[in-house]
Amino acid sequence: MAQIIDGKLLSAQIKEELKEKTKILINEKGIIPGLALLLVGDNPASKSYVSSKEKSCSELGFKSIVERLPDNTDEATVLGFINKWNADETIHGILVQLPIPKQIDEQKVIQSISPKKDVDGFHPESFGRLVIGLPGFVPCTPAGIVEMIKRYKIPTKGKHVVVVGRSNIVGKPIANLMYQKNPDANSIVTICHTATSDLSYYTKQADILIAAVGVPRIIKAEDVKEGVVIIDVGINRVEDSTTEKGYRIVGDVDFENVKNKASAITPVPGGVGLMTVAMLMQNTYKSAAGEVL
Ligand code: NDP
């Protein structure tokens, strides 16, 4: 049975470390890390993500500002908030919860955030820095994956990493991080997507398989080799009448069967998802401490 890569434990450890460092930053430099969050509309998942980010800020001693705007908010209003926060010295990180309603141009919003406060790491400047290997903000989910691999001492040098999914927020950045010539990566990377005709052909070759697909349990035991390390990014709702809510959350990997073949695996829930918030806090802390740009 595989070693469980425990996102709950790791994220709690990271938050504890950040809490201590924040106390020092406040005492020695008088800087309180500040995060501004913008939520447009009432998507239930987005609402809960924003609340958990707000809660983490308060646990760590950060300042947070949360603007919750109605679904029919126009682009100018959103850009107005971002411009105000770009100029506010007490704000070190700005996050617009995605997705945003269609009347607002998502790329315009992302690009209006100062790269110095881009704690979500979605600005093209941040992505360019990531690809080149320069210091910069790394998007939170890929950053969380790297942190898990690092803290569980999973060898990456010369290993074949197969990433399923090529989204801008997970697949592309994690693939680009894993081939970088540094001790936490240095892997050989393959990226799969919907034009991959025989997905299993590729996934079976993976030493490390990163699934960021959004299809419940698409990766089965027969799709992986013995000893593979599994990083399951997927967060999918499946019907379950035995639960109070009528659904439960599963990953992109068939955990119950794959865990018997893998050497290490992240559970869902309790894996990558929790790391994402911890990395947002880390990016905000680093921004406040002047450790990024
Ligand atoms: P997107 O929908 O943006 O991207 C999904 C990717 O998977 C696309 O590149 C798509 O290919 C590919 N894909 C879809 N179906 C298949 C298939 N049958 N075979 C091969 N490739 C396929 O999703 P995200 O990257 O935003 O999210 C992926 C999953 O991760 C979701 O479940 C999401 O909820 C979760 N997530 C979890 C986070 C966390 O904190 N743990 C953070 C962000 C996301 P193509 O490009 O060709 O369309």
Side-chain angles (χ1 to χ4, degrees):
M1 152 104 189
Q3 176 183 33
I4 302 297
I5 302 176
D6 189 340
K8 195 168 174 187
L9 187 82
L10 270 193
S11 62
Q13 265 173 14
I14 290 165
K15 284 191 185 170
E16 211 41 57
E17 291 163 13
L18 285 173
K19 200 168 161 181
E20 291 311 308
K21 291 205 294 194
T22 300
K23 277 186 205 155
I24 297 169
L25 188 68
I26 296 172
N27 286 340
E28 290 185 356
K29 296 198 175 155
I31 300 171
I32 304 169
L35 177 64
L37 297 151
L38 186 73
L39 172 67
V40 188
D42 44 28
N43 176 312
S46 295
K47 276 164 87 175
S48 106
Y49 291 146
V50 168
S51 299
S52 91
K53 289 164 186 175
E54 189 180 16
K55 187 165 156 252
S56 290
C57 283
S58 104
E59 284 166 5
L60 267 55
F62 290 12
K63 163 186 158 172
S64 67
I65 297 175
V66 186
E67 283 298 336
R68 293 180 170 85
L69 305 174
D71 202 49
N72 61 358
T73 302
D74 61 19
E75 192 176 279
T77 306
V78 170
L79 296 178
F81 276 107
I82 294 172
N83 288 337
K84 188 175 85 171
W85 292 332
N86 277 340
D88 183 340
E89 284 182 5
T90 68
I91 296 296
H92 307 96
I94 300 172
L95 182 147
V96 177
Q97 187 66 45
L98 302 177
I100 41 175
K102 283 191 212 72
Q103 73 275 13
I104 304 166
D105 181 341
E106 188 177 291
Q107 269 307 317
K108 204 163 169 185
V109 168
I110 289 172
Q111 292 180 33
S112 71
I113 295 171
S114 162
K116 289 194 166 59
K117 302 188 179 187
D118 180 34
V119 287
D120 238 350
F122 296 158
H123 194 287
E125 180 171 328
S126 303
F127 195 71
R129 286 177 166 274
L130 182 154
V131 174
I132 296 169
L134 291 173
F137 291 105
V138 174
C140 303
T141 302
I145 295 171
V146 171
E147 200 69 35
M148 287 177 130
I149 289 175
K150 204 158 111 181
R151 293 198 184 214
Y152 274 82
K153 299 189 168 48
I154 291 163
T156 54
K157 184 179 174 185
K159 300 293 178 190
H160 188 186
V161 174
V162 176
V163 180
V164 189
R166 58 176 164 189
S167 70
N168 290 342
I169 63 169
V170 192
K172 277 182 201 156
I174 191 62
N176 278 279
L177 284 167
M178 294 312 296
Y179 67 67
Q180 296 291 328
K181 197 169 181 176
N182 69 49
D184 301 324
N186 223 354
S187 305
I188 300 132
V189 178
T190 298
I191 308 173
C192 300
H193 40 74
T194 52
T196 308
S197 58
D198 184 359
L199 185 61
S200 189
Y201 169 80
Y202 297 95
T203 56
K204 271 193 268 196
Q205 297 177 40
D207 298 313
I208 301 173
L209 179 63
I210 303 177
V213 198
V215 177
R217 302 191 197 99
I218 186 173
I219 307 293
K220 313 253 185 266
E222 60 267 29
D223 300 322
V224 301
K225 72 176 180 191
E226 286 289 339
V228 63
V229 173
I230 300 278
I231 308 289
D232 189 354
V233 184
I235 299 179
N236 310 296
R237 277 185 184 193
V238 292
E239 271 185 38
D240 184 348
S241 55
T242 65
T243 67
E244 203 177 300
K245 290 176 179 162
Y247 69 86
R248 68 196 165 90
I249 301 293
V250 300
D252 291 339
V253 176
D254 178 7
F255 181 85
E256 282 312 312
N257 295 308
V258 172
K259 74 175 195 292
N260 301 322
K261 246 175 139 178
S263 59
I265 187 165
T266 63
V268 178
V272 178
L274 295 166
M275 293 298 288
T276 300
V277 181
M279 291 299 107
L280 173 66
M281 296 300 121
Q282 181 154 291
N283 279 351
T284 306
Y285 168 83
K286 284 183 174 174
S287 180
E291 291 178 8
V292 184
L293 297 174

